[in-house]
Amino acid sequence: MAVRSHLRIYLVFVLVLAAGLSIGTSALAETGPLPSWNDGPTKQAIVDFVQKTTDKSSPAFIPPAERIVTFDNDGTLWPSHPMYTQLAFALDRIKALAPKHPEWKTQQPFKAVLDNNMKALAAGGEKGLVELVMASHAGMSTAEFEKIVSDWFMTAKHPRFKRPYTKLAYQPMLELLSYLRANGFKTYIVSGGGIEFMRPMTEAVYGVPPEQVIGSSIETKYEMKDGKPMLMRLPKIHFIDDKAGKPVGINMFIGRRPVAAFGNSDGDRQMLEWTGAGNGARLMMLVFHDDAKREYAYGPANGLPDTKFGTFSQSLMDEAKKKGWIVISMKNDWKRIFAPEQ
Amino acid sequence: MAVRSHLRIYLVFVLVLAAGLSIGTSALAETGPLPSWNDGPTKQAIVDFVQKTTDKSSPAFIPPAERIVTFDNDGTLWPSHPMYTQLAFALDRIKALAPKHPEWKTQQPFKAVLDNNMKALAAGGEKGLVELVMASHAGMSTAEFEKIVSDWFMTAKHPRFKRPYTKLAYQPMLELLSYLRANGFKTYIVSGGGIEFMRPMTEAVYGVPPEQVIGSSIETKYEMKDGKPMLMRLPKIHFIDDKAGKPVGINMFIGRRPVAAFGNSDGDRQMLEWTGAGNGARLMMLVFHDDAKREYAYGPANGLPDTKFGTFSQSLMDEAKKKGWIVISMKNDWKRIFAPEQ
């Protein structure tokens, strides 16, 4: 019995050791800076860029103060399908406000929202969308809007992945943000989305503080109410931070040209052009959604289906190739898309 | 001879020692955080605010990320008399461009500038000023404008103090900026002046990087010229960062409410109101120009003469008293105005 008992202890010891080694090895394989990125030229390009620009003896060295990096949000840091997160918010908000607006039952584009009629909604075009945004995003103070947005993020879930939107940041991009910050880069979000829709969540989700978020905005007006100053949100567009607006927004808010820029669609083209036209080392990358199984697949570049939410045109793909912008294949370059569920 | 020689050496030694001690004593008296501020309640209020908001055990503690402090520029960090520095730039620029615009010889407000006729210039009012700004600030790329501004700062001098404008930052305010930054506060400039007029000099003069400068702006447009992207400056106002525009600009650029704000005129009133309306410890201060001998004296608060460049009205003085905003007397609170000439 003593021998068998010793044998058992020995076997348990060996199994534990083996398990330990196996865990050790797999952990070891992921201790690099970008564990959710597959090894290959895409990951290597990022590592090479960071190494040469932070090495004082390299001719490509960039002083810390100039290490400005800009990231698009929708489709670059988190999904933009089946629709932009902010549009999902606007639709929920219209439904929540409907009891106070009986006229919406018969009035487009509101009727389409209340009927969940996406076809009628699409028929309203951009004009209809602007009406929805104004009805859902304006008419309150900035403090009230911040609370409305924060509350929505606490409960809203993505229709396919059944997780809060705030848990759907792309894991490889979170690692990239951390890796860049650990090397002295200042990470900015430069999105076509609403600046005050993003700010309540960017710090918690991406580690990006509000003062490093640039986005589209409506006008606000300073008012005194009962002796207390407020900023009231007006139903009037102030700035559209998309396409040619992105370099304008970057110049306005930061006053420096980025040294690296990350996007995923035709809306990011000018940001990458502007970044690439600077002197010295530059890194421009585009996330290409070619992974229908784990996320979504759309283009229309490379023959994938077209989309209203983050078009990646063939002409953008051609410009990327011509200018040496790196196209990230979600399918091939990323080990995983999202963090494992907690 | 040996005795006299020893005596001489001894005397030299004593004199050197005395000089050393005297330098030592005077340096010692100025080793506090704000050496150019006279001791008294104003200086004490600053030190108290910094101590209680950075002491983790204090109920007034402010986490580092929220330590946002905003400073007006003209009249708060450097002189705004005899006219705003940017207006001096615009007038010089009009004169430099005049050879290409023969029509300006007979056309107001340009004729007034070329004739050095300040009375005719004033008669043109705000409309005339906007015309001058557009003619001098628009029609080139952002890169070209940056060069024009930088070149001007290299040569232009203040008419009374005969020093470059960049050497006229108020020494007590430079010490305040450094003291706040050394305690983890992020210092922003929030000025009615042009954002792209300030950014070429704020880092060198105030230690404030371009991404922490908020100001008025004209529109810019992204354009491709010979395959190179440019931002062209258009003769159209985009945003006026003055009065009620200051809280709007702060909210837009920073997305956080400041915990301290420094101004000098009616243009800063709303910034101080907005700052003061936040929860927790707050510090609001106004530089009052009551020192005609060392700088300028104007109000019209406290019966001083009125001005077009940085009005401090009696009603602002009344609001300051009512709300506990601290009024800095340049005459009594500051040991010196400018750094000694090098």
Side-chain angles (χ1 to χ4, degrees), chain B residues 147-170:
Chain B
K147 187 172 171 356
I148 292 166
V149 171
S150 300
D151 288 350
W152 184 80
F153 273 122
M154 297 281 279
T155 55
K157 288 192 175 181
H158 188 279
R160 172 172 162 197
F161 300 113
K162 313 290 181 202
R163 287 205 224 180
Y165 291 96
T166 51
K167 299 283 179 195
L168 288 176
Y170 300 138

PDB file of all heavy atoms in Angstrom, chain B residues 147-170:
ATOM      1  N   LYS B 147       4.772  79.216 -40.159  1.00  0.00           N
ATOM      2  CA  LYS B 147       6.087  79.798 -40.447  1.00  0.00           C
ATOM      3  C   LYS B 147       6.038  81.330 -40.370  1.00  0.00           C
ATOM      4  O   LYS B 147       6.935  81.962 -39.814  1.00  0.00           O
ATOM      5  CB  LYS B 147       6.581  79.339 -41.822  1.00  0.00           C
ATOM      6  CG  LYS B 147       8.020  79.790 -42.053  1.00  0.00           C
ATOM      7  CD  LYS B 147       8.649  79.230 -43.288  1.00  0.00           C
ATOM      8  CE  LYS B 147       9.999  79.857 -43.614  1.00  0.00           C
ATOM      9  NZ  LYS B 147      10.470  80.962 -42.775  1.00  0.00           N
ATOM     10  N   ILE B 148       4.964  81.906 -40.925  1.00  0.00           N
ATOM     11  CA  ILE B 148       4.812  83.368 -40.883  1.00  0.00           C
ATOM     12  C   ILE B 148       4.780  83.858 -39.431  1.00  0.00           C
ATOM     13  O   ILE B 148       5.449  84.826 -39.066  1.00  0.00           O
ATOM     14  CB  ILE B 148       3.507  83.791 -41.617  1.00  0.00           C
ATOM     15  CG1 ILE B 148       3.635  83.527 -43.123  1.00  0.00           C
ATOM     16  CG2 ILE B 148       3.163  85.251 -41.340  1.00  0.00           C
ATOM     17  CD1 ILE B 148       2.304  83.582 -43.883  1.00  0.00           C
ATOM     18  N   VAL B 149       4.013  83.156 -38.592  1.00  0.00           N
ATOM     19  CA  VAL B 149       3.883  83.553 -37.185  1.00  0.00           C
ATOM     20  C   VAL B 149       5.219  83.378 -36.462  1.00  0.00           C
ATOM     21  O   VAL B 149       5.674  84.268 -35.737  1.00  0.00           O
ATOM     22  CB  VAL B 149       2.769  82.739 -36.490  1.00  0.00           C
ATOM     23  CG1 VAL B 149       2.782  82.983 -34.986  1.00  0.00           C
ATOM     24  CG2 VAL B 149       1.400  83.093 -37.071  1.00  0.00           C
ATOM     25  N   SER B 150       5.866  82.239 -36.680  1.00  0.00           N
ATOM     26  CA  SER B 150       7.147  81.982 -36.003  1.00  0.00           C
ATOM     27  C   SER B 150       8.181  83.034 -36.388  1.00  0.00           C
ATOM     28  O   SER B 150       8.924  83.538 -35.538  1.00  0.00           O
ATOM     29  CB  SER B 150       7.669  80.586 -36.363  1.00  0.00           C
ATOM     30  OG  SER B 150       6.747  79.610 -35.968  1.00  0.00           O
ATOM     31  N   ASP B 151       8.238  83.349 -37.683  1.00  0.00           N
ATOM     32  CA  ASP B 151       9.191  84.365 -38.143  1.00  0.00           C
ATOM     33  C   ASP B 151       8.905  85.716 -37.493  1.00  0.00           C
ATOM     34  O   ASP B 151       9.827  86.436 -37.099  1.00  0.00           O
ATOM     35  CB  ASP B 151       9.116  84.508 -39.678  1.00  0.00           C
ATOM     36  CG  ASP B 151       9.727  83.305 -40.389  1.00  0.00           C
ATOM     37  OD1 ASP B 151      10.369  82.473 -39.715  1.00  0.00           O
ATOM     38  OD2 ASP B 151       9.548  83.186 -41.622  1.00  0.00           O
ATOM     39  N   TRP B 152       7.617  86.063 -37.389  1.00  0.00           N
ATOM     40  CA  TRP B 152       7.254  87.350 -36.796  1.00  0.00           C
ATOM     41  C   TRP B 152       7.708  87.420 -35.336  1.00  0.00           C
ATOM     42  O   TRP B 152       8.279  88.421 -34.904  1.00  0.00           O
ATOM     43  CB  TRP B 152       5.742  87.570 -36.920  1.00  0.00           C
ATOM     44  CG  TRP B 152       5.295  88.918 -36.419  1.00  0.00           C
ATOM     45  CD1 TRP B 152       5.374  90.117 -37.079  1.00  0.00           C
ATOM     46  CD2 TRP B 152       4.716  89.201 -35.137  1.00  0.00           C
ATOM     47  NE1 TRP B 152       4.876  91.129 -36.301  1.00  0.00           N
ATOM     48  CE2 TRP B 152       4.460  90.596 -35.096  1.00  0.00           C
ATOM     49  CE3 TRP B 152       4.385  88.432 -34.033  1.00  0.00           C
ATOM     50  CZ2 TRP B 152       3.892  91.225 -33.990  1.00  0.00           C
ATOM     51  CZ3 TRP B 152       3.813  89.047 -32.931  1.00  0.00           C
ATOM     52  CH2 TRP B 152       3.577  90.432 -32.914  1.00  0.00           C
ATOM     53  N   PHE B 153       7.470  86.345 -34.594  1.00  0.00           N
ATOM     54  CA  PHE B 153       7.867  86.341 -33.182  1.00  0.00           C
ATOM     55  C   PHE B 153       9.384  86.468 -33.009  1.00  0.00           C
ATOM     56  O   PHE B 153       9.861  86.930 -31.977  1.00  0.00           O
ATOM     57  CB  PHE B 153       7.371  85.067 -32.476  1.00  0.00           C
ATOM     58  CG  PHE B 153       5.963  85.181 -31.931  1.00  0.00           C
ATOM     59  CD1 PHE B 153       4.965  84.306 -32.336  1.00  0.00           C
ATOM     60  CD2 PHE B 153       5.643  86.162 -30.996  1.00  0.00           C
ATOM     61  CE1 PHE B 153       3.669  84.407 -31.824  1.00  0.00           C
ATOM     62  CE2 PHE B 153       4.352  86.271 -30.478  1.00  0.00           C
ATOM     63  CZ  PHE B 153       3.366  85.388 -30.897  1.00  0.00           C
ATOM     64  N   MET B 154      10.138  86.057 -34.026  1.00  0.00           N
ATOM     65  CA  MET B 154      11.605  86.151 -33.948  1.00  0.00           C
ATOM     66  C   MET B 154      12.084  87.598 -33.983  1.00  0.00           C
ATOM     67  O   MET B 154      13.158  87.921 -33.458  1.00  0.00           O
ATOM     68  CB  MET B 154      12.249  85.409 -35.125  1.00  0.00           C
ATOM     69  CG  MET B 154      11.984  83.919 -35.147  1.00  0.00           C
ATOM     70  SD  MET B 154      13.037  83.030 -33.983  1.00  0.00           S
ATOM     71  CE  MET B 154      14.537  82.933 -34.978  1.00  0.00           C
ATOM     72  N   THR B 155      11.306  88.478 -34.626  1.00  0.00           N
ATOM     73  CA  THR B 155      11.804  89.842 -34.836  1.00  0.00           C
ATOM     74  C   THR B 155      10.966  90.926 -34.152  1.00  0.00           C
ATOM     75  O   THR B 155      11.500  91.961 -33.772  1.00  0.00           O
ATOM     76  CB  THR B 155      11.832  90.163 -36.346  1.00  0.00           C
ATOM     77  OG1 THR B 155      10.517  89.931 -36.873  1.00  0.00           O
ATOM     78  CG2 THR B 155      12.828  89.266 -37.078  1.00  0.00           C
ATOM     79  N   ALA B 156       9.656  90.680 -33.983  1.00  0.00           N
ATOM     80  CA  ALA B 156       8.779  91.738 -33.465  1.00  0.00           C
ATOM     81  C   ALA B 156       9.108  92.045 -32.002  1.00  0.00           C
ATOM     82  O   ALA B 156       9.471  91.156 -31.235  1.00  0.00           O
ATOM     83  CB  ALA B 156       7.323  91.307 -33.587  1.00  0.00           C
ATOM     84  N   LYS B 157       8.998  93.325 -31.647  1.00  0.00           N
ATOM     85  CA  LYS B 157       9.254  93.735 -30.272  1.00  0.00           C
ATOM     86  C   LYS B 157       8.109  94.567 -29.729  1.00  0.00           C
ATOM     87  O   LYS B 157       7.447  95.290 -30.479  1.00  0.00           O
ATOM     88  CB  LYS B 157      10.560  94.535 -30.189  1.00  0.00           C
ATOM     89  CG  LYS B 157      11.774  93.667 -30.384  1.00  0.00           C
ATOM     90  CD  LYS B 157      13.066  94.371 -30.022  1.00  0.00           C
ATOM     91  CE  LYS B 157      14.204  93.383 -30.143  1.00  0.00           C
ATOM     92  NZ  LYS B 157      15.497  93.961 -29.788  1.00  0.00           N
ATOM     93  N   HIS B 158       7.920  94.480 -28.427  1.00  0.00           N
ATOM     94  CA  HIS B 158       6.890  95.276 -27.762  1.00  0.00           C
ATOM     95  C   HIS B 158       7.306  96.745 -27.792  1.00  0.00           C
ATOM     96  O   HIS B 158       8.454  97.073 -27.476  1.00  0.00           O
ATOM     97  CB  HIS B 158       6.733  94.797 -26.319  1.00  0.00           C
ATOM     98  CG  HIS B 158       5.577  95.407 -25.601  1.00  0.00           C
ATOM     99  ND1 HIS B 158       5.628  96.662 -25.039  1.00  0.00           N
ATOM    100  CD2 HIS B 158       4.323  94.942 -25.375  1.00  0.00           C
ATOM    101  CE1 HIS B 158       4.452  96.940 -24.478  1.00  0.00           C
ATOM    102  NE2 HIS B 158       3.647  95.905 -24.665  1.00  0.00           N
ATOM    103  N   PRO B 159       6.363  97.658 -28.171  1.00  0.00           N
ATOM    104  CA  PRO B 159       6.757  99.059 -28.376  1.00  0.00           C
ATOM    105  C   PRO B 159       7.245  99.755 -27.102  1.00  0.00           C
ATOM    106  O   PRO B 159       8.098 100.641 -27.186  1.00  0.00           O
ATOM    107  CB  PRO B 159       5.465  99.711 -28.900  1.00  0.00           C
ATOM    108  CG  PRO B 159       4.353  98.789 -28.480  1.00  0.00           C
ATOM    109  CD  PRO B 159       4.950  97.411 -28.467  1.00  0.00           C
ATOM    110  N   ARG B 160       6.752  99.374 -25.949  1.00  0.00           N
ATOM    111  CA  ARG B 160       7.207 100.035 -24.714  1.00  0.00           C
ATOM    112  C   ARG B 160       8.382  99.309 -24.069  1.00  0.00           C
ATOM    113  O   ARG B 160       9.367  99.938 -23.684  1.00  0.00           O
ATOM    114  CB  ARG B 160       6.050 100.116 -23.713  1.00  0.00           C
ATOM    115  CG  ARG B 160       6.504 100.621 -22.345  1.00  0.00           C
ATOM    116  CD  ARG B 160       5.336 100.879 -21.406  1.00  0.00           C
ATOM    117  NE  ARG B 160       5.775 100.957 -20.024  1.00  0.00           N
ATOM    118  CZ  ARG B 160       4.981 100.855 -18.967  1.00  0.00           C
ATOM    119  NH1 ARG B 160       3.671 100.678 -19.153  1.00  0.00           N
ATOM    120  NH2 ARG B 160       5.455 100.932 -17.744  1.00  0.00           N
ATOM    121  N   PHE B 161       8.292  98.007 -23.980  1.00  0.00           N
ATOM    122  CA  PHE B 161       9.326  97.274 -23.233  1.00  0.00           C
ATOM    123  C   PHE B 161      10.530  96.889 -24.097  1.00  0.00           C
ATOM    124  O   PHE B 161      11.538  96.413 -23.580  1.00  0.00           O
ATOM    125  CB  PHE B 161       8.712  96.049 -22.549  1.00  0.00           C
ATOM    126  CG  PHE B 161       7.620  96.397 -21.572  1.00  0.00           C
ATOM    127  CD1 PHE B 161       6.297  96.035 -21.810  1.00  0.00           C
ATOM    128  CD2 PHE B 161       7.915  97.141 -20.430  1.00  0.00           C
ATOM    129  CE1 PHE B 161       5.293  96.374 -20.917  1.00  0.00           C
ATOM    130  CE2 PHE B 161       6.910  97.486 -19.529  1.00  0.00           C
ATOM    131  CZ  PHE B 161       5.584  97.106 -19.777  1.00  0.00           C
ATOM    132  N   LYS B 162      10.399  97.112 -25.406  1.00  0.00           N
ATOM    133  CA  LYS B 162      11.516  96.898 -26.349  1.00  0.00           C
ATOM    134  C   LYS B 162      12.115  95.494 -26.259  1.00  0.00           C
ATOM    135  O   LYS B 162      13.322  95.314 -26.425  1.00  0.00           O
ATOM    136  CB  LYS B 162      12.642  97.941 -26.126  1.00  0.00           C
ATOM    137  CG  LYS B 162      12.191  99.375 -26.005  1.00  0.00           C
ATOM    138  CD  LYS B 162      11.690  99.935 -27.306  1.00  0.00           C
ATOM    139  CE  LYS B 162      11.255 101.401 -27.174  1.00  0.00           C
ATOM    140  NZ  LYS B 162      10.314 101.785 -28.241  1.00  0.00           N
ATOM    141  N   ARG B 163      11.287  94.538 -25.909  1.00  0.00           N
ATOM    142  CA  ARG B 163      11.745  93.150 -25.879  1.00  0.00           C
ATOM    143  C   ARG B 163      10.854  92.340 -26.809  1.00  0.00           C
ATOM    144  O   ARG B 163       9.696  92.720 -27.046  1.00  0.00           O
ATOM    145  CB  ARG B 163      11.541  92.566 -24.484  1.00  0.00           C
ATOM    146  CG  ARG B 163      12.483  93.054 -23.451  1.00  0.00           C
ATOM    147  CD  ARG B 163      12.565  91.954 -22.375  1.00  0.00           C
ATOM    148  NE  ARG B 163      12.512  92.483 -21.042  1.00  0.00           N
ATOM    149  CZ  ARG B 163      12.564  91.719 -19.944  1.00  0.00           C
ATOM    150  NH1 ARG B 163      12.620  90.401 -20.042  1.00  0.00           N
ATOM    151  NH2 ARG B 163      12.529  92.252 -18.746  1.00  0.00           N
ATOM    152  N   PRO B 164      11.343  91.190 -27.285  1.00  0.00           N
ATOM    153  CA  PRO B 164      10.438  90.310 -28.044  1.00  0.00           C
ATOM    154  C   PRO B 164       9.223  89.968 -27.171  1.00  0.00           C
ATOM    155  O   PRO B 164       9.369  89.806 -25.948  1.00  0.00           O
ATOM    156  CB  PRO B 164      11.281  89.056 -28.298  1.00  0.00           C
ATOM    157  CG  PRO B 164      12.701  89.474 -28.112  1.00  0.00           C
ATOM    158  CD  PRO B 164      12.692  90.623 -27.151  1.00  0.00           C
ATOM    159  N   TYR B 165       8.059  89.841 -27.792  1.00  0.00           N
ATOM    160  CA  TYR B 165       6.846  89.485 -27.040  1.00  0.00           C
ATOM    161  C   TYR B 165       7.048  88.187 -26.260  1.00  0.00           C
ATOM    162  O   TYR B 165       6.509  88.013 -25.170  1.00  0.00           O
ATOM    163  CB  TYR B 165       5.658  89.340 -27.996  1.00  0.00           C
ATOM    164  CG  TYR B 165       5.219  90.654 -28.604  1.00  0.00           C
ATOM    165  CD1 TYR B 165       5.668  91.062 -29.864  1.00  0.00           C
ATOM    166  CD2 TYR B 165       4.351  91.505 -27.917  1.00  0.00           C
ATOM    167  CE1 TYR B 165       5.275  92.271 -30.418  1.00  0.00           C
ATOM    168  CE2 TYR B 165       3.948  92.720 -28.466  1.00  0.00           C
ATOM    169  CZ  TYR B 165       4.416  93.097 -29.715  1.00  0.00           C
ATOM    170  OH  TYR B 165       4.014  94.297 -30.260  1.00  0.00           O
ATOM    171  N   THR B 166       7.836  87.293 -26.824  1.00  0.00           N
ATOM    172  CA  THR B 166       8.047  85.988 -26.192  1.00  0.00           C
ATOM    173  C   THR B 166       8.880  86.089 -24.916  1.00  0.00           C
ATOM    174  O   THR B 166       9.028  85.110 -24.205  1.00  0.00           O
ATOM    175  CB  THR B 166       8.753  85.041 -27.177  1.00  0.00           C
ATOM    176  OG1 THR B 166       9.910  85.710 -27.694  1.00  0.00           O
ATOM    177  CG2 THR B 166       7.835  84.680 -28.335  1.00  0.00           C
ATOM    178  N   LYS B 167       9.444  87.278 -24.647  1.00  0.00           N
ATOM    179  CA  LYS B 167      10.199  87.473 -23.407  1.00  0.00           C
ATOM    180  C   LYS B 167       9.401  88.299 -22.416  1.00  0.00           C
ATOM    181  O   LYS B 167       9.954  88.836 -21.452  1.00  0.00           O
ATOM    182  CB  LYS B 167      11.539  88.180 -23.699  1.00  0.00           C
ATOM    183  CG  LYS B 167      12.457  87.402 -24.612  1.00  0.00           C
ATOM    184  CD  LYS B 167      13.143  86.261 -23.895  1.00  0.00           C
ATOM    185  CE  LYS B 167      14.039  85.476 -24.853  1.00  0.00           C
ATOM    186  NZ  LYS B 167      14.419  84.177 -24.283  1.00  0.00           N
ATOM    187  N   LEU B 168       8.098  88.451 -22.671  1.00  0.00           N
ATOM    188  CA  LEU B 168       7.273  89.293 -21.804  1.00  0.00           C
ATOM    189  C   LEU B 168       6.209  88.510 -21.042  1.00  0.00           C
ATOM    190  O   LEU B 168       5.230  89.081 -20.554  1.00  0.00           O
ATOM    191  CB  LEU B 168       6.629  90.418 -22.622  1.00  0.00           C
ATOM    192  CG  LEU B 168       7.605  91.515 -23.087  1.00  0.00           C
ATOM    193  CD1 LEU B 168       6.886  92.525 -23.965  1.00  0.00           C
ATOM    194  CD2 LEU B 168       8.261  92.218 -21.897  1.00  0.00           C
ATOM    195  N   ALA B 169       6.390  87.201 -20.943  1.00  0.00           N
ATOM    196  CA  ALA B 169       5.479  86.441 -20.077  1.00  0.00           C
ATOM    197  C   ALA B 169       5.670  86.938 -18.653  1.00  0.00           C
ATOM    198  O   ALA B 169       6.792  87.255 -18.247  1.00  0.00           O
ATOM    199  CB  ALA B 169       5.797  84.960 -20.172  1.00  0.00           C
ATOM    200  N   TYR B 170       4.571  87.043 -17.908  1.00  0.00           N
ATOM    201  CA  TYR B 170       4.675  87.505 -16.520  1.00  0.00           C
ATOM    202  C   TYR B 170       5.418  86.450 -15.693  1.00  0.00           C
ATOM    203  O   TYR B 170       4.983  85.305 -15.612  1.00  0.00           O
ATOM    204  CB  TYR B 170       3.282  87.737 -15.927  1.00  0.00           C
ATOM    205  CG  TYR B 170       2.450  88.769 -16.659  1.00  0.00           C
ATOM    206  CD1 TYR B 170       1.098  88.552 -16.889  1.00  0.00           C
ATOM    207  CD2 TYR B 170       3.004  89.963 -17.121  1.00  0.00           C
ATOM    208  CE1 TYR B 170       0.312  89.492 -17.547  1.00  0.00           C
ATOM    209  CE2 TYR B 170       2.228  90.913 -17.782  1.00  0.00           C
ATOM    210  CZ  TYR B 170       0.880  90.673 -17.998  1.00  0.00           C
ATOM    211  OH  TYR B 170       0.118  91.600 -18.661  1.00  0.00           O
TER     212      TYR B 170
END
